[in-house]
Amino acid sequence: MASAPFTVSQERKIVTELPGPKSRELHELRRRVVSRGAGTLADIYMDHGSGAILVDVDGNQIIDLGCGIGVTTIGHAHPAIAAAAAEQAGKLTHTLFTVTPYENYLRVAEKLAEITPGDFEKHSILVNSGAEAVENAVKIARKFTGRRAIAALDHAFHGRTNLTMAMTYRPWPERAGMGPFPGEIYSVPTSYPFRDPEGMTGLEAAERTIDYINTHIGATELAALFVEPIQGDGGIVIPADGFFQRLSEFCTENGIVFVADEIQAGIARSGAWYSIEHSGVVPDLITSAKGIAGGFPLAAVTGRAEIMDAVQPGGIGGTFGGNPVSTAAALAVFRLIEEENLIAEAQRVEKAFFARMGDWASKYAVVGEVRGKGCMFGVELVHPGTRTPNPEALSAVIKHATSNGVIVLDAGSWDSVLRFLPSVVISDELIDDAATVIEEALQALEP
Ligand SMILES: *Cc1c(COP(=O)(O)O)cnc(C)c1O
């Protein structure tokens, strides 16, 4: 186990009904002052946290299998992150790197060059959010290639800005009614082993993607292909072996920039610094965000120096990008991952989840498949005896879990994948307890 100094006991403890009275009171205020568009998964208002436990305003201790969608990978409120951020906040909070620079920004870029795959010179730009990183990767790839078309995979999630909405696969709820979207964005087939024809290999799936690109876009028109090596919002979809290898070769042969969007799967979450490492592929550009700064807003585009430097000075940037406090927190995250061996901890969590939940597809009629890597798990729910997505079952499981003190996430283009993105510091005991709660819900759905 990592030596994280927890300030809250690592156990589930429910002292009121959920949501409790104080949460319900805050929720009334929320209805009066917050847009309905910012929907919430569980109306339980949080007060503090430590490790894998969140404590709500009514004093309930809740197991967090979501990490605010994969952000607090190193655990909640780690004292080392709090100290690094507080020290920086007392020293300097802003200058704007493109007006007068500071060292933290350089140190984060230096570290990103070291931990991203590829043995060549790499440059970075730091921004505020995942979507902003994806947008910048699009700009950089277009400028470098002189081409306009951008391809993203089916079931992709790349963000909620206008450009990244166009690259995000499903219309509901992310895009509906909010167009028009920019042109020259294409969705191309991916490899989704559970839903592809039985026995389809990664190579065959890649040839299908390539054929689609050739017949719908034209390889010489394509500036960049964006992939999530493990799709997060798409439902923890892990393509078949060989898929990314073949796509990456195709991109190299045709002058297409291969971009790995590692915003959810990167920074130790998958049991490697970056999830593309599991396939041995070296991308031209990588986007990082979510887990990079322990909850502080920070994102990055990192990649081949000649591609990153294709943009004229002033062509990319932004007021808050690479903020001194966020970068101080990121440097503390990088240190913790190395000093506490948190990549190995992510691998331990993977083993513990599979040991406890790996057989659910044979035990429960609504479970079609259990899949995952590191601290990313998906349980695809189906109608018994079929592969037809079962979103009603997912709602029932989420409702039961959250009202019993286990935060879980939804995912998938059909809203039928139960998603877990726990912290690497979650104990085997907490995994067991959370699994017991979820099994009660699965049991109740037995025909
Ligand atoms: C969350 C996410 C984004 C968008 O990041 P924001 O910080 O929410 O803008 C983009 N790509 C992937 C893969 C993500 O998981």
Side-chain angles (χ1 to χ4, degrees):
M1 277 302 298
S3 61
F6 301 121
T7 53
V8 175
S9 66
Q10 297 295 290
E11 57 184 335
R12 183 170 61 104
K13 226 187 272 177
I14 306 305
V15 297
T16 69
E17 63 175 325
L18 282 171
K22 288 185 181 151
S23 274
R24 289 201 301 269
E25 205 179 305
L26 288 171
H27 203 61
E28 276 312 305
L29 173 60
R30 180 217 156 94
R31 272 194 238 280
R32 293 202 303 272
V33 295
V34 177
S35 164
R36 187 177 74 103
T40 36
L41 183 124
D43 300 325
I44 304 169
Y45 288 73
M46 297 305 176
D47 184 71
H48 60 285
S50 177
I53 294 288
L54 281 167
V55 185
D56 76 359
V57 287
D58 292 289
N60 296 294
Q61 290 189 198
I62 289 163
I63 303 175
D64 186 11
L65 299 186
C67 284
I69 317 216
V71 170
T72 53
T73 309
I74 53 153
H76 284 289
H78 197 294
I81 309 297
E87 191 194 338
Q88 183 62 46
K91 246 170 70 179
L92 185 73
T93 54
H94 181 81
T95 66
L96 211 176
F97 185 78
T98 54
V99 176
T100 51
Y102 42 89
E103 183 172 350
N104 281 358
Y105 192 115
L106 309 183
R107 295 296 174 201
V108 169
E110 183 181 42
K111 196 69 195 173
L112 286 169
E114 179 196 318
I115 64 177
T116 47
D119 194 14
F120 41 76
E121 189 174 338
K122 286 171 236 156
H123 291 179
S124 287
I125 176 169
L126 304 185
V127 292
N128 304 292
S129 69
E132 199 187 349
V134 172
E135 291 232 357
N136 276 285
V138 168
K139 286 165 65 176
I140 292 163
R142 282 179 168 160
K143 183 80 191 183
F144 176 72
T145 59
R147 304 174 183 177
R148 292 179 182 173
I150 299 293
L153 298 177
D154 287 352
H155 312 293
F157 182 85
H158 292 298
R160 292 168 184 281
T161 56
N162 187 263
L163 173 58
T164 58
M165 265 195 292
M167 297 167 67
T168 288
Y169 181 69
R170 64 178 191 174
W172 190 267
E174 284 88 0
R175 291 202 317 257
M178 290 182 281
F181 302 111
E184 297 283 350
I185 308 285
Y186 298 87
S187 202
V188 302
T190 187
S191 159
Y192 189 157
F194 183 68
R195 301 212 162 269
D196 281 339
E198 196 80 33
M200 182 179 237
T201 66
L203 190 63
E204 288 161 355
E207 292 303 340
R208 179 176 62 182
T209 310
I210 290 166
D211 183 62
Y212 190 97
I213 291 172
N214 285 329
T215 55
H216 289 70
I217 311 169
T220 55
E221 300 298 307
L222 189 57
L225 171 66
F226 280 73
V227 308
E228 290 161 88
I230 300 174
Q231 285 182 330
D233 289 49
I236 315 297
V237 178
I238 305 174
D241 286 346
F243 179 69
F244 290 126
Q245 194 67 49
R246 178 68 192 106
L247 286 186
S248 150
E249 286 163 14
F250 170 77
C251 286
T252 304
E253 287 158 15
N254 291 282
I256 300 161
V257 178
F258 184 92
V259 188
D261 180 348
E262 292 268 9
I263 287 167
Q264 193 159 145
I267 317 288
R269 174 156 292 281
S270 78
W273 273 114
Y274 286 95
S275 64
I276 193 76
E277 291 171 50
H278 300 297
S279 66
V281 167
V282 176
D284 298 312
L285 299 181
I286 287 187
T287 54
S288 310
K290 291 195 164 89
I292 196 172
F296 287 88
L298 184 70
V301 186
T302 304
R304 292 181 184 274
E306 66 272 23
I307 301 178
M308 292 298 296
D309 289 351
V311 179
Q312 63 281 17
I316 48 178
T319 303
F320 293 121
N323 171 270
V325 179
S326 292
T327 47
L331 293 171
V333 167
F334 295 143
R335 255 196 319 277
L336 275 174
I337 289 173
E338 283 174 343
E339 285 170 7
E340 302 198 344
N341 243 323
L342 297 184
I343 289 175
E345 286 303 303
Q347 295 161 0
R348 170 191 61 82
V349 171
E350 175 182 330
K351 285 201 194 78
F353 263 91
F354 275 117
R356 184 65 180 76
M357 306 179 189
D359 63 350
W360 280 3
S362 59
K363 269 168 83 178
Y364 300 106
V366 293
V367 176
E369 186 178 60
V370 176
R371 52 182 182 253
K373 196 89 196 140
C375 291
M376 302 182 81
F377 283 88
V379 179
E380 182 146 358
L381 302 179
V382 293
H383 286 281
T386 72
R387 295 201 170 199
T388 309
N390 193 340
E392 299 80 18
L394 181 64
S395 299
V397 172
I398 291 177
K399 188 155 180 276
H400 179 82
T402 51
S403 58
N404 284 279
V406 181
I407 300 296
V408 297
L409 303 173
D410 55 351
S413 293
W414 297 273
D415 267 325
S416 59
V417 180
L418 179 64
R419 174 173 46 154
F420 309 138
L421 299 173
S423 157
V424 300
V425 304
I426 190 169
S427 68
D428 293 5
E429 291 74 23
L430 281 181
I431 293 171
D432 182 55
D433 185 29
T436 302
V437 170
I438 295 159
E439 281 191 299
E440 292 162 5
L442 294 173
Q443 194 66 53
L445 288 164
E446 282 294 285

